[in-house]
């Protein structure tokens, strides 16, 4: 058996060889938390249970962990984006080396680490032709051609003086 994502995944252990039994995990194409939402099920006309056959496939542990709670199609788009722009996600260090930040961006070390975590673990959506947005918790990172062009942290608190002026 091969991992479901072996053709597009830059980290898949089953890319060049079949998976060993200790590498195989059961993967839900549509995450279980979405399948439990009656509005989602009604919108898409889903009548089967989250763990029934149409929603379950095999993937390697690394791909399944990286997918987290994303649906199948956006996850594949994310992997294709990584491949297209040479973003390496095998380790955090390789991710940090392959991601570039726009020259005029001034981010602290903690903000850069948060941006990298958002890119690695966040949800993926296309904004424009070559611009993608990654959302994780309350952090949003925009990449254009593999370069970070926008970083927004909604958790960031404004200084007290600015709060008073804006109110």
């Amino acid at each position: 058996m091969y991992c479901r994502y072996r053709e597009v995944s830059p980290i898949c252990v089953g890319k060049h060889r079949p998976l060993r039994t200790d590498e195989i995990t059961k993967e839900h194409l549509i995450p279980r938390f979405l399948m439990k939402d009656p509005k989602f099920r009604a919108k898409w006309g889903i009548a089967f249970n989250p763990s029934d056959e149409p929603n379950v496939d095999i993937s390697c542990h690394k791909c399944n962990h990286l997918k987290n709670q994303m649906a199948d199609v956006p996850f594949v788009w994310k992997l294709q984006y990584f491949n297209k722009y040479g973003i390496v996600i095998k380790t955090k260090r390789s991710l940090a080396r392959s991601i570039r930040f726009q020259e005029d961006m001034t981010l602290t070390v903690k903000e850069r680490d948060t941006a990298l975590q958002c890119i690695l673990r966040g949800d993926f959506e296309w904004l424009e032709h070559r611009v993608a947005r990654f959302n994780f918790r309350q952090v949003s990172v925009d990449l254009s051609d593999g370069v970070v062009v926008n970083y927004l942290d909604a958790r960031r608190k404004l200084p007290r003086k600015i709060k008073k002026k804006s109110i």
Side-chain angles (χ1 to χ4, degrees), residues 38-86:
K39 290 179 184 176
F40 178 84
R41 291 173 68 98
K43 178 181 177 182
W44 297 102
I46 298 172
F48 53 85
N49 290 326
S51 293
D52 283 352
E53 177 138 352
N55 194 37
V56 177
D57 208 340
I58 299 296
S59 72
C60 70
H61 175 73
K62 289 182 180 181
C63 287
N64 200 4
H65 181 72
L66 180 64
K67 184 179 175 192
N68 201 7
Q69 292 187 349
M70 290 179 75
D72 196 46
V73 173
F75 179 64
V76 171
W77 289 343
K78 182 178 179 177
L79 292 175
Q80 288 173 339
Y81 186 86
F82 288 158
N83 278 338
K84 183 174 183 178
Y85 294 108

Side-chain angles (χ1 to χ4, degrees), residues 30-132:
I30 302 170
R32 286 182 291 186
F33 85 97
L34 279 176
M35 293 288 281
K36 290 179 183 177
D37 182 7
K39 290 179 184 176
F40 178 84
R41 291 173 68 98
K43 178 181 177 182
W44 297 102
I46 298 172
F48 53 85
N49 290 326
S51 293
D52 283 352
E53 177 138 352
N55 194 37
V56 177
D57 208 340
I58 299 296
S59 72
C60 70
H61 175 73
K62 289 182 180 181
C63 287
N64 200 4
H65 181 72
L66 180 64
K67 184 179 175 192
N68 201 7
Q69 292 187 349
M70 290 179 75
D72 196 46
V73 173
F75 179 64
V76 171
W77 289 343
K78 182 178 179 177
L79 292 175
Q80 288 173 339
Y81 186 86
F82 288 158
N83 278 338
K84 183 174 183 178
Y85 294 108
I87 299 171
V88 182
I89 55 174
K90 288 188 178 187
T91 63
K92 288 181 183 178
R93 178 179 279 175
S94 62
L95 175 66
R97 288 181 187 154
S98 62
I99 292 289
R100 298 181 321 273
F101 289 83
Q102 200 171 29
E103 292 178 14
D104 59 348
M105 287 188 81
T106 54
L107 297 176
T108 65
V109 173
K110 186 176 180 181
E111 288 173 332
R112 283 181 182 258
D113 288 344
T114 305
L116 293 174
Q117 181 182 23
C118 181
I119 292 167
L120 186 62
R121 300 187 61 203
D123 292 333
F124 178 88
E125 65 178 296
W126 285 107
L127 295 182
E128 295 173 18
H129 175 62
R130 297 181 321 199
V131 180

